[in-house]
Amino acid sequence: MCGIIGYIGKKAAAPTIYGGLLRLEYRGYDSAGIAVSDGRKVRQVKLAGRVNLLEGRLSALCGNAGIGHTRWATHGAPDDVNAHPHRAGKITIVHNGIIENYAELKREALALGETFLSETDSEVIACLINRYYRGKILPALKEACGRLRGSYAILAICEGEDGIAVAKNKSPVVIGCGADGTYVSSDIPALAGLCGEVCIAEDGDYAFLTAEGFEIYDGALNRVSRPMQKNRALPEDVDKGGYPHFMLKEIYRSPRAAEDTVRAFGGVKQKFCKYAEGTGRVILAGCGTAYNSCLAARRYFESFARVPCEVETAGEYRYKNPVITPSTLVIAVSQSGETADTVEAAALARGRGAKVIAVTNAPFSALTRIAGLTVPVAAGFEVCVAATKSYTGQLAALYLMAKALGGGDPSPLEEAPSKIKAALDDMDICAVADMCVHSRGVYFLGRDLDYATALEASLKLKEVSYIQCEGYAAGELKHGALALIDGEKTAVTIISDPALAGKCENAVEQVISRGGKVAVITTLAQVASAFGGRAEVVLLPQCDKYVAPLVTAAAVQVLAYRCAVLLGRNPDMPRNLAKSVTVE
Ligand code: F6R
């Protein structure tokens, strides 16, 4: 959610920062901008639209120190003026986060005769630093931050002063040294191949970067040390690897995500069992796709461990007055580990005495610092805004946790990677995609675990194709939504549980008899033959019903991808969205 990057060193800063912005673009693509200092003057270019629009303007920026920003607009339209960097006097800044008291600060500044160009909340930061500047940017940044309420990762440079000043509160900041200079970024992948090790800054930290290295400071500007972590990001993680889009590449990495997550769980299983001992109730919380993985996992915890389990969207949970007892285990699920709602929900639960486990693809994220234990999702970096392989990894981790809690045999999950791979290699979902893109609405139906997949299918399809769609429990169709079915609507029913197949088939029949277009995605050969010739049928490899969500997920992800491509959308960068929602 907004990407920021800074560089100071021996190289020309503009192309270095531009390359970093291209890698951070999944965090927002409403506008982009770069400011570069040549030691005396700071020059900047900024434009509404994608990062690549800056390419032709880089020659205007000479110098070896600079900062860049790719924006997901929160305050003010996504236009050139509201694009970052923002400038006040000698100070230029980029910001990721939200300044909640910006209106009050802006009123104060206007009363002092200070002026503003943009409608953003961020411009007040530049204005405050400029007001407090007495020849050194770091103390001025600290003083400015003392006035801010909200979340921020700020990079600031000053005309005539060497170095980049950094402040962090609730928005991620990573810093690293490379062979030719010092880097700071919102996320590790932007530093892939540039820094062998990175330092993850903590909330309340300040930092100052020079060409020779960096120092981290606490809130009183005393030097502090933070551990360096190996940078796991490789240049190939941020490369499409021959695929036309990251989304497709990442869907095809799902078998590997399942396999690696199983392996990683081996390393934490004992700790998990000890931490979760005595659990009497499980609460699963997440947002978006992570929430949908929680819906499937509820069945895992109830069936394998026989513990009562509730699922909450993290954004709702954080504003409840939740009932937490000493035996409550809260499991917070998040690909990025930075989603503000999920991080705050976990903090609330921890503060009230719950045991909290983070299930995340980001080992050093904010969520892991709050949780008592982290269970890794080993899906590798996910660049596409739409989550795919991380969903598969989340399902695998949650399956294993539920099995471990219940003391059951987790071996059925071992077939997941090969089943997902077989599904991806063999299925032909193009006819269903064609049906969906020629419909005025799509309904995904399923029961029990397939209902969770139906919701995820609907989220994925709407997100990347903008087709109007809904996920429904198949049994609910006749209680209202059936009224919407006509020849211009498609119902896609997911059927993977032999015990529920007959009931789901009834829902399909109801749609057929109302003249709706019908597709069936199933792991069951008997269901496929029941609808052969009457519906578009996609037959996936037969598998254990609890493993099926990992396999059917791959099918609905490919379906969403195909629809996006047929409609000429860019599935990697859906409109209005960004990955890592670090604001409320
Ligand atoms: C959907 C999607 C989002 C995220 C949600 C939570 O494809 O990507 O719905 O799942 O924003 O993000 P994380 O998992 O990073 O907390």
Side-chain angles (χ1 to χ4, degrees):
M1 183 124 296
C2 293
I4 59 172
I5 181 155
Y7 168 77
I8 176 163
K10 294 182 199 142
K11 297 187 289 184
T16 308
I17 290 166
Y18 174 72
L21 288 181
L22 287 172
R23 290 172 171 197
L24 285 173
E25 205 171 13
Y26 60 87
R27 298 181 69 90
Y29 28 86
D30 287 327
S31 64
I34 299 176
V36 171
S37 166
D38 64 6
R40 285 183 316 112
K41 276 208 88 54
V42 172
R43 293 181 184 82
Q44 65 178 40
V45 292
K46 52 182 194 169
L47 288 172
R50 298 276 309 271
V51 171
N52 62 9
L53 298 177
L54 296 177
E55 193 173 9
R57 314 281 284 268
L58 299 181
S59 56
L61 304 173
C62 293
N64 301 82
I67 54 179
H69 187 271
T70 178
R71 179 171 187 239
W72 184 78
T74 59
H75 296 65
D79 59 23
D80 292 357
V81 176
N82 290 326
H84 296 220
H86 292 290
R87 191 171 178 143
K90 290 174 158 191
I91 307 296
T92 304
I93 64 114
V94 292
H95 164 229
N96 168 28
I98 286 188
I99 304 306
E100 287 163 10
N101 58 337
Y102 87 98
E104 175 189 323
L105 294 169
K106 195 165 176 172
R107 271 197 302 276
E108 174 189 296
L110 289 169
L112 291 170
E114 291 165 348
T115 53
F116 292 85
L117 297 174
S118 78
E119 302 158 299
T120 65
D121 54 337
S122 309
E123 198 177 357
V124 297
I125 303 171
C127 179
L128 284 172
I129 302 173
N130 187 47
R131 194 189 304 163
Y132 298 136
Y133 186 75
R134 314 258 179 285
K136 286 226 175 284
I137 191 163
L138 193 63
L141 173 62
K142 179 194 152 306
E143 205 172 339
C145 289
R147 305 288 317 278
L148 306 178
R149 241 185 11 246
S151 58
Y152 50 79
I154 302 165
L155 307 183
I157 53 176
C158 176
E159 221 157 56
E161 189 184 342
D162 258 355
I164 301 173
V166 183
K168 177 206 166 357
N169 185 45
K170 295 186 179 171
S171 294
V173 168
V174 296
I175 308 175
C177 293
D180 40 28
T182 312
Y183 299 81
V184 54
S185 165
S186 299
D187 210 347
I188 296 171
L191 307 185
L194 296 171
C195 305
E197 289 192 319
V198 289
C199 162
I200 319 279
E202 293 184 8
D203 282 346
D205 280 352
Y206 294 88
F208 194 72
L209 277 62
T210 63
E212 286 72 42
F214 64 93
E215 296 290 354
I216 310 256
Y217 302 88
D218 66 12
L221 292 191
N222 296 313
R223 268 165 59 176
V224 286
S225 69
R226 298 276 173 253
M228 298 299 290
Q229 322 280 355
K230 187 172 157 33
N231 185 355
R232 299 171 310 121
L234 302 169
E236 57 260 36
D237 290 329
V238 284
D239 184 278
K240 290 192 191 123
Y243 287 87
H245 297 99
F246 280 108
M247 184 173 181
L248 196 60
K249 174 190 169 192
E250 289 167 0
I251 293 170
Y252 274 82
R253 292 288 190 275
S254 299
R256 172 99 182 265
E259 204 174 312
D260 289 351
T261 301
V262 171
R263 195 171 310 118
F265 189 72
V268 293
K269 184 176 172 184
Q270 269 189 345
K271 278 192 206 147
F272 166 75
C273 291
K274 193 153 185 292
Y275 191 73
E277 217 169 55
T279 296
R281 175 169 160 251
V282 171
I283 296 172
L284 293 154
C287 300
T289 288
Y291 170 75
N292 290 338
S293 76
C294 293
L295 288 175
R298 171 163 57 194
R299 290 290 175 265
Y300 293 159
F301 281 96
E302 288 171 349
S303 306
F304 303 157
R306 302 302 294 156
V307 286
C309 184
E310 294 147 51
V311 181
E312 303 270 2
T313 56
E316 291 295 316
Y317 188 73
R318 63 181 287 196
Y319 291 112
K320 283 176 56 155
N321 184 8
V323 178
I324 288 176
T325 63
S327 69
T328 304
L329 174 66
V330 173
I331 301 176
V333 183
S334 170
Q335 187 285 128
S336 62
E338 299 288 350
T339 297
D341 285 333
T342 311
V343 170
E344 293 301 330
L348 172 78
R350 196 86 209 267
R352 301 249 179 133
K355 291 182 185 173
V356 175
I357 295 183
V359 175
T360 180
N361 199 29
F364 307 113
S365 54
L367 191 59
T368 65
R369 289 197 285 275
I370 286 164
L373 181 77
T374 296
V375 171
V377 169
F381 286 105
E382 196 173 61
V383 175
C384 176
V385 166
T388 55
K389 60 178 180 168
S390 63
Y391 181 69
T392 314
Q394 286 163 1
L395 292 177
L398 293 162
Y399 176 105
L400 292 166
M401 290 163 74
K403 281 281 187 185
L405 195 62
D409 170 20
S411 61
L413 191 65
E414 284 166 16
E415 67 174 12
S418 62
K419 298 282 180 177
I420 304 168
K421 184 169 182 324
L424 288 169
D425 289 347
D426 300 339
M427 88 183 141
D428 180 0
I429 210 152
C430 292
V432 183
D434 194 60
M435 198 183 242
C436 291
V437 302
H438 290 103
S439 296
R440 289 191 49 235
V442 177
Y443 300 91
F444 288 97
L445 310 174
R447 274 180 187 263
D448 199 46
L449 283 161
D450 292 330
Y451 172 48
T453 310
L455 291 176
E456 177 55 10
S458 167
L459 176 61
K460 211 93 304 173
L461 183 64
K462 61 172 71 100
E463 185 180 15
V464 299
S465 74
Y466 322 145
I467 294 172
Q468 182 72 37
C469 52
E470 296 281 348
Y472 272 98
E476 279 292 294
L477 184 68
K478 57 189 177 294
H479 296 292
L482 198 55
L484 295 170
I485 295 293
D486 59 28
E488 292 184 304
K489 313 284 170 37
T490 291
V492 181
T493 307
I494 300 148
I495 309 178
S496 67
D497 183 348
L500 298 174
K503 303 288 174 205
C504 293
E505 287 175 21
N506 288 347
V508 183
E509 296 292 356
Q510 286 157 17
V511 177
I512 293 176
S513 62
R514 266 75 184 178
K517 299 191 270 187
V518 178
V520 175
I521 297 175
T522 183
T523 54
L524 306 172
Q526 73 273 21
V527 172
S529 45
F531 291 107
R534 296 194 300 138
E536 280 302 337
V537 177
V538 177
L539 179 61
L540 304 173
Q542 201 266 324
C543 54
D544 177 274
K545 76 168 190 178
Y546 295 108
V547 174
L550 287 84
V551 179
T552 50
V556 299
Q557 289 165 359
V558 175
L559 174 62
Y561 173 78
R562 293 273 166 239
C563 289
V565 171
L566 281 173
L567 290 167
R569 322 282 192 221
N570 177 355
D572 288 342
M573 292 183 186
R575 72 180 175 206
N576 306 337
L577 300 180
K579 213 166 178 70
S580 261
V581 186
T582 52
V583 297
E584 248 195 273

PDB file of all heavy atoms in Angstrom, residues 21 31 39 57 71 189 194 248 257 273 286 302 307 325 355-356 366 368 405 407 434 478 480-481 494 503 540 554 557:
ATOM      1  N   LEU A  21      11.131   1.048  -7.897  1.00  0.00           N
ATOM      2  CA  LEU A  21       9.690   1.360  -7.964  1.00  0.00           C
ATOM      3  C   LEU A  21       8.954   0.337  -8.825  1.00  0.00           C
ATOM      4  O   LEU A  21       7.822  -0.041  -8.519  1.00  0.00           O
ATOM      5  CB  LEU A  21       9.470   2.770  -8.521  1.00  0.00           C
ATOM      6  CG  LEU A  21       9.845   3.929  -7.597  1.00  0.00           C
ATOM      7  CD1 LEU A  21       9.558   5.257  -8.275  1.00  0.00           C
ATOM      8  CD2 LEU A  21       9.089   3.852  -6.267  1.00  0.00           C
ATOM      9  N   SER A  31       0.034   6.638  -9.098  1.00  0.00           N
ATOM     10  CA  SER A  31       0.994   7.632  -9.587  1.00  0.00           C
ATOM     11  C   SER A  31       2.370   7.243  -9.073  1.00  0.00           C
ATOM     12  O   SER A  31       2.487   6.374  -8.204  1.00  0.00           O
ATOM     13  CB  SER A  31       0.639   9.041  -9.078  1.00  0.00           C
ATOM     14  OG  SER A  31       0.751   9.092  -7.674  1.00  0.00           O
ATOM     15  N   GLY A  39      23.550  16.972  -4.381  1.00  0.00           N
ATOM     16  CA  GLY A  39      24.403  17.524  -3.336  1.00  0.00           C
ATOM     17  C   GLY A  39      24.062  18.986  -3.059  1.00  0.00           C
ATOM     18  O   GLY A  39      24.206  19.457  -1.940  1.00  0.00           O
ATOM     19  N   ARG A  57      11.719  10.423 -18.306  1.00  0.00           N
ATOM     20  CA  ARG A  57      12.003  11.681 -17.591  1.00  0.00           C
ATOM     21  C   ARG A  57      13.212  11.574 -16.664  1.00  0.00           C
ATOM     22  O   ARG A  57      13.557  12.540 -15.997  1.00  0.00           O
ATOM     23  CB  ARG A  57      10.783  12.081 -16.755  1.00  0.00           C
ATOM     24  CG  ARG A  57       9.451  11.986 -17.489  1.00  0.00           C
ATOM     25  CD  ARG A  57       9.234  13.169 -18.406  1.00  0.00           C
ATOM     26  NE  ARG A  57       8.870  14.340 -17.657  1.00  0.00           N
ATOM     27  CZ  ARG A  57       7.617  14.698 -17.394  1.00  0.00           C
ATOM     28  NH1 ARG A  57       6.624  13.986 -17.873  1.00  0.00           N
ATOM     29  NH2 ARG A  57       7.354  15.781 -16.690  1.00  0.00           N
ATOM     30  N   ARG A  71       2.151   5.206  -5.682  1.00  0.00           N
ATOM     31  CA  ARG A  71       1.052   5.612  -4.796  1.00  0.00           C
ATOM     32  C   ARG A  71      -0.215   4.787  -4.954  1.00  0.00           C
ATOM     33  O   ARG A  71      -0.625   4.465  -6.071  1.00  0.00           O
ATOM     34  CB  ARG A  71       0.711   7.084  -5.089  1.00  0.00           C
ATOM     35  CG  ARG A  71      -0.430   7.656  -4.252  1.00  0.00           C
ATOM     36  CD  ARG A  71      -0.552   9.160  -4.439  1.00  0.00           C
ATOM     37  NE  ARG A  71      -1.535   9.708  -3.518  1.00  0.00           N
ATOM     38  CZ  ARG A  71      -2.619  10.377  -3.899  1.00  0.00           C
ATOM     39  NH1 ARG A  71      -2.846  10.628  -5.161  1.00  0.00           N
ATOM     40  NH2 ARG A  71      -3.482  10.819  -2.999  1.00  0.00           N
ATOM     41  N   PRO A 189      11.477  -7.510  -1.466  1.00  0.00           N
ATOM     42  CA  PRO A 189      11.735  -7.844  -2.870  1.00  0.00           C
ATOM     43  C   PRO A 189      12.366  -6.709  -3.679  1.00  0.00           C
ATOM     44  O   PRO A 189      13.119  -6.954  -4.615  1.00  0.00           O
ATOM     45  CB  PRO A 189      10.354  -8.199  -3.433  1.00  0.00           C
ATOM     46  CG  PRO A 189       9.573  -8.617  -2.255  1.00  0.00           C
ATOM     47  CD  PRO A 189      10.083  -7.822  -1.092  1.00  0.00           C
ATOM     48  N   LEU A 194      20.313  -6.736  -4.540  1.00  0.00           N
ATOM     49  CA  LEU A 194      21.036  -5.490  -4.232  1.00  0.00           C
ATOM     50  C   LEU A 194      21.683  -5.556  -2.853  1.00  0.00           C
ATOM     51  O   LEU A 194      22.797  -5.100  -2.664  1.00  0.00           O
ATOM     52  CB  LEU A 194      20.073  -4.294  -4.277  1.00  0.00           C
ATOM     53  CG  LEU A 194      19.437  -3.990  -5.631  1.00  0.00           C
ATOM     54  CD1 LEU A 194      18.352  -2.935  -5.491  1.00  0.00           C
ATOM     55  CD2 LEU A 194      20.499  -3.517  -6.617  1.00  0.00           C
ATOM     56  N   LEU A 248      -0.273 -15.779 -13.261  1.00  0.00           N
ATOM     57  CA  LEU A 248      -0.190 -17.141 -13.783  1.00  0.00           C
ATOM     58  C   LEU A 248       1.046 -17.853 -13.224  1.00  0.00           C
ATOM     59  O   LEU A 248       0.980 -19.013 -12.803  1.00  0.00           O
ATOM     60  CB  LEU A 248      -0.157 -17.121 -15.313  1.00  0.00           C
ATOM     61  CG  LEU A 248      -0.462 -18.456 -15.977  1.00  0.00           C
ATOM     62  CD1 LEU A 248      -1.856 -18.960 -15.618  1.00  0.00           C
ATOM     63  CD2 LEU A 248      -0.346 -18.354 -17.499  1.00  0.00           C
ATOM     64  N   ALA A 257       4.269 -24.220  -3.197  1.00  0.00           N
ATOM     65  CA  ALA A 257       3.874 -23.533  -1.949  1.00  0.00           C
ATOM     66  C   ALA A 257       3.358 -24.552  -0.936  1.00  0.00           C
ATOM     67  O   ALA A 257       3.681 -24.487   0.256  1.00  0.00           O
ATOM     68  CB  ALA A 257       2.811 -22.479  -2.237  1.00  0.00           C
ATOM     69  N   CYS A 273       2.534 -27.405  19.058  1.00  0.00           N
ATOM     70  CA  CYS A 273       1.763 -28.285  19.948  1.00  0.00           C
ATOM     71  C   CYS A 273       1.872 -27.804  21.385  1.00  0.00           C
ATOM     72  O   CYS A 273       0.899 -27.801  22.129  1.00  0.00           O
ATOM     73  CB  CYS A 273       2.240 -29.733  19.824  1.00  0.00           C
ATOM     74  SG  CYS A 273       1.803 -30.427  18.225  1.00  0.00           S
ATOM     75  N   GLY A 286      -8.687 -12.908   9.584  1.00  0.00           N
ATOM     76  CA  GLY A 286      -7.909 -12.464   8.428  1.00  0.00           C
ATOM     77  C   GLY A 286      -8.780 -11.562   7.571  1.00  0.00           C
ATOM     78  O   GLY A 286      -9.940 -11.294   7.897  1.00  0.00           O
ATOM     79  N   GLU A 302     -12.598 -27.926  13.380  1.00  0.00           N
ATOM     80  CA  GLU A 302     -13.759 -28.610  13.958  1.00  0.00           C
ATOM     81  C   GLU A 302     -13.693 -30.109  13.703  1.00  0.00           C
ATOM     82  O   GLU A 302     -13.989 -30.914  14.581  1.00  0.00           O
ATOM     83  CB  GLU A 302     -15.053 -28.029  13.368  1.00  0.00           C
ATOM     84  CG  GLU A 302     -15.339 -26.634  13.907  1.00  0.00           C
ATOM     85  CD  GLU A 302     -16.481 -25.937  13.194  1.00  0.00           C
ATOM     86  OE1 GLU A 302     -16.940 -26.443  12.136  1.00  0.00           O
ATOM     87  OE2 GLU A 302     -16.921 -24.905  13.680  1.00  0.00           O
ATOM     88  N   VAL A 307     -12.510 -28.858  18.204  1.00  0.00           N
ATOM     89  CA  VAL A 307     -12.604 -27.683  19.090  1.00  0.00           C
ATOM     90  C   VAL A 307     -13.551 -26.675  18.439  1.00  0.00           C
ATOM     91  O   VAL A 307     -13.572 -26.549  17.213  1.00  0.00           O
ATOM     92  CB  VAL A 307     -11.241 -26.976  19.340  1.00  0.00           C
ATOM     93  CG1 VAL A 307     -10.355 -27.760  20.270  1.00  0.00           C
ATOM     94  CG2 VAL A 307     -10.537 -26.625  18.060  1.00  0.00           C
ATOM     95  N   THR A 325     -10.958 -16.097  26.766  1.00  0.00           N
ATOM     96  CA  THR A 325     -10.706 -16.807  28.016  1.00  0.00           C
ATOM     97  C   THR A 325      -9.278 -17.346  27.949  1.00  0.00           C
ATOM     98  O   THR A 325      -8.657 -17.325  26.879  1.00  0.00           O
ATOM     99  CB  THR A 325     -11.701 -17.977  28.169  1.00  0.00           C
ATOM    100  OG1 THR A 325     -11.457 -18.892  27.109  1.00  0.00           O
ATOM    101  CG2 THR A 325     -13.150 -17.508  28.134  1.00  0.00           C
ATOM    102  N   LYS A 355      -3.686 -16.431  23.564  1.00  0.00           N
ATOM    103  CA  LYS A 355      -2.505 -16.897  22.833  1.00  0.00           C
ATOM    104  C   LYS A 355      -2.749 -16.525  21.373  1.00  0.00           C
ATOM    105  O   LYS A 355      -3.863 -16.713  20.860  1.00  0.00           O
ATOM    106  CB  LYS A 355      -2.377 -18.406  22.948  1.00  0.00           C
ATOM    107  CG  LYS A 355      -2.009 -18.870  24.346  1.00  0.00           C
ATOM    108  CD  LYS A 355      -1.865 -20.367  24.335  1.00  0.00           C
ATOM    109  CE  LYS A 355      -1.617 -20.880  25.731  1.00  0.00           C
ATOM    110  NZ  LYS A 355      -1.628 -22.334  25.797  1.00  0.00           N
ATOM    111  N   VAL A 356      -1.721 -16.012  20.715  1.00  0.00           N
ATOM    112  CA  VAL A 356      -1.896 -15.561  19.323  1.00  0.00           C
ATOM    113  C   VAL A 356      -0.833 -16.201  18.430  1.00  0.00           C
ATOM    114  O   VAL A 356       0.359 -16.122  18.730  1.00  0.00           O
ATOM    115  CB  VAL A 356      -1.807 -14.016  19.218  1.00  0.00           C
ATOM    116  CG1 VAL A 356      -1.857 -13.564  17.761  1.00  0.00           C
ATOM    117  CG2 VAL A 356      -2.929 -13.362  20.005  1.00  0.00           C
ATOM    118  N   ALA A 366       5.208  -7.302  10.778  1.00  0.00           N
ATOM    119  CA  ALA A 366       4.644  -6.745  12.014  1.00  0.00           C
ATOM    120  C   ALA A 366       3.845  -7.808  12.774  1.00  0.00           C
ATOM    121  O   ALA A 366       3.902  -7.886  14.000  1.00  0.00           O
ATOM    122  CB  ALA A 366       3.747  -5.561  11.663  1.00  0.00           C
ATOM    123  N   THR A 368       4.262 -10.975  13.000  1.00  0.00           N
ATOM    124  CA  THR A 368       5.113 -11.939  13.716  1.00  0.00           C
ATOM    125  C   THR A 368       5.669 -11.331  15.001  1.00  0.00           C
ATOM    126  O   THR A 368       5.988 -12.058  15.937  1.00  0.00           O
ATOM    127  CB  THR A 368       6.288 -12.432  12.842  1.00  0.00           C
ATOM    128  OG1 THR A 368       7.155 -11.333  12.563  1.00  0.00           O
ATOM    129  CG2 THR A 368       5.822 -13.033  11.539  1.00  0.00           C
ATOM    130  N   LEU A 405      -3.178 -30.323  16.352  1.00  0.00           N
ATOM    131  CA  LEU A 405      -3.969 -30.072  17.567  1.00  0.00           C
ATOM    132  C   LEU A 405      -4.824 -31.286  17.917  1.00  0.00           C
ATOM    133  O   LEU A 405      -4.997 -31.622  19.084  1.00  0.00           O
ATOM    134  CB  LEU A 405      -4.848 -28.834  17.355  1.00  0.00           C
ATOM    135  CG  LEU A 405      -5.477 -28.215  18.592  1.00  0.00           C
ATOM    136  CD1 LEU A 405      -4.409 -27.713  19.565  1.00  0.00           C
ATOM    137  CD2 LEU A 405      -6.364 -27.031  18.181  1.00  0.00           C
ATOM    138  N   GLY A 407      -4.137 -34.361  16.954  1.00  0.00           N
ATOM    139  CA  GLY A 407      -3.325 -35.582  17.022  1.00  0.00           C
ATOM    140  C   GLY A 407      -3.595 -36.530  15.861  1.00  0.00           C
ATOM    141  O   GLY A 407      -3.323 -37.740  15.954  1.00  0.00           O
ATOM    142  N   ASP A 434     -15.096 -18.355 -20.984  1.00  0.00           N
ATOM    143  CA  ASP A 434     -15.845 -17.726 -22.057  1.00  0.00           C
ATOM    144  C   ASP A 434     -17.297 -17.471 -21.622  1.00  0.00           C
ATOM    145  O   ASP A 434     -17.870 -16.412 -21.874  1.00  0.00           O
ATOM    146  CB  ASP A 434     -15.780 -18.657 -23.283  1.00  0.00           C
ATOM    147  CG  ASP A 434     -16.230 -17.934 -24.515  1.00  0.00           C
ATOM    148  OD1 ASP A 434     -15.586 -16.925 -24.853  1.00  0.00           O
ATOM    149  OD2 ASP A 434     -17.247 -18.358 -25.115  1.00  0.00           O
ATOM    150  N   LYS A 478     -31.860 -21.189  -3.280  1.00  0.00           N
ATOM    151  CA  LYS A 478     -33.330 -21.182  -3.402  1.00  0.00           C
ATOM    152  C   LYS A 478     -33.984 -20.218  -2.412  1.00  0.00           C
ATOM    153  O   LYS A 478     -35.178 -19.986  -2.468  1.00  0.00           O
ATOM    154  CB  LYS A 478     -33.865 -22.601  -3.200  1.00  0.00           C
ATOM    155  CG  LYS A 478     -33.466 -23.237  -1.886  1.00  0.00           C
ATOM    156  CD  LYS A 478     -33.830 -24.709  -1.833  1.00  0.00           C
ATOM    157  CE  LYS A 478     -33.363 -25.367  -0.538  1.00  0.00           C
ATOM    158  NZ  LYS A 478     -31.915 -25.436  -0.408  1.00  0.00           N
ATOM    159  N   GLY A 480     -33.341 -17.052  -2.196  1.00  0.00           N
ATOM    160  CA  GLY A 480     -33.323 -15.668  -2.662  1.00  0.00           C
ATOM    161  C   GLY A 480     -32.616 -15.460  -3.990  1.00  0.00           C
ATOM    162  O   GLY A 480     -33.196 -14.944  -4.943  1.00  0.00           O
ATOM    163  N   ALA A 481     -31.364 -15.882  -4.049  1.00  0.00           N
ATOM    164  CA  ALA A 481     -30.561 -15.539  -5.228  1.00  0.00           C
ATOM    165  C   ALA A 481     -31.093 -16.177  -6.504  1.00  0.00           C
ATOM    166  O   ALA A 481     -30.838 -15.667  -7.610  1.00  0.00           O
ATOM    167  CB  ALA A 481     -29.107 -15.946  -5.008  1.00  0.00           C
ATOM    168  N   ILE A 494     -19.094 -25.800  -7.381  1.00  0.00           N
ATOM    169  CA  ILE A 494     -17.880 -26.541  -7.032  1.00  0.00           C
ATOM    170  C   ILE A 494     -18.313 -27.730  -6.182  1.00  0.00           C
ATOM    171  O   ILE A 494     -19.001 -27.564  -5.163  1.00  0.00           O
ATOM    172  CB  ILE A 494     -16.895 -25.631  -6.269  1.00  0.00           C
ATOM    173  CG1 ILE A 494     -16.530 -24.448  -7.166  1.00  0.00           C
ATOM    174  CG2 ILE A 494     -15.635 -26.389  -5.859  1.00  0.00           C
ATOM    175  CD1 ILE A 494     -16.264 -23.176  -6.439  1.00  0.00           C
ATOM    176  N   LYS A 503     -26.716 -33.203  -2.976  1.00  0.00           N
ATOM    177  CA  LYS A 503     -27.347 -31.924  -2.592  1.00  0.00           C
ATOM    178  C   LYS A 503     -26.891 -30.791  -3.518  1.00  0.00           C
ATOM    179  O   LYS A 503     -27.683 -29.929  -3.894  1.00  0.00           O
ATOM    180  CB  LYS A 503     -26.972 -31.548  -1.152  1.00  0.00           C
ATOM    181  CG  LYS A 503     -27.326 -32.592  -0.130  1.00  0.00           C
ATOM    182  CD  LYS A 503     -28.812 -32.663   0.088  1.00  0.00           C
ATOM    183  CE  LYS A 503     -29.169 -33.806   1.014  1.00  0.00           C
ATOM    184  NZ  LYS A 503     -30.538 -34.290   0.811  1.00  0.00           N
ATOM    185  N   LEU A 540     -11.461 -32.388 -12.163  1.00  0.00           N
ATOM    186  CA  LEU A 540     -10.139 -32.271 -11.535  1.00  0.00           C
ATOM    187  C   LEU A 540      -9.765 -33.631 -10.932  1.00  0.00           C
ATOM    188  O   LEU A 540     -10.643 -34.480 -10.730  1.00  0.00           O
ATOM    189  CB  LEU A 540     -10.191 -31.209 -10.429  1.00  0.00           C
ATOM    190  CG  LEU A 540     -10.660 -29.818 -10.871  1.00  0.00           C
ATOM    191  CD1 LEU A 540     -10.840 -28.902  -9.666  1.00  0.00           C
ATOM    192  CD2 LEU A 540      -9.661 -29.213 -11.847  1.00  0.00           C
ATOM    193  N   ALA A 554      -6.930 -23.889  -7.187  1.00  0.00           N
ATOM    194  CA  ALA A 554      -6.107 -23.659  -8.379  1.00  0.00           C
ATOM    195  C   ALA A 554      -7.008 -23.472  -9.603  1.00  0.00           C
ATOM    196  O   ALA A 554      -6.750 -22.610 -10.458  1.00  0.00           O
ATOM    197  CB  ALA A 554      -5.143 -24.827  -8.583  1.00  0.00           C
ATOM    198  N   GLN A 557      -8.724 -20.070  -9.526  1.00  0.00           N
ATOM    199  CA  GLN A 557      -7.738 -18.996  -9.767  1.00  0.00           C
ATOM    200  C   GLN A 557      -7.455 -18.880 -11.270  1.00  0.00           C
ATOM    201  O   GLN A 557      -7.387 -17.777 -11.828  1.00  0.00           O
ATOM    202  CB  GLN A 557      -6.442 -19.300  -9.014  1.00  0.00           C
ATOM    203  CG  GLN A 557      -6.567 -19.141  -7.503  1.00  0.00           C
ATOM    204  CD  GLN A 557      -5.415 -19.775  -6.737  1.00  0.00           C
ATOM    205  OE1 GLN A 557      -4.509 -20.359  -7.315  1.00  0.00           O
ATOM    206  NE2 GLN A 557      -5.444 -19.671  -5.417  1.00  0.00           N
TER     207      GLN A 557
END
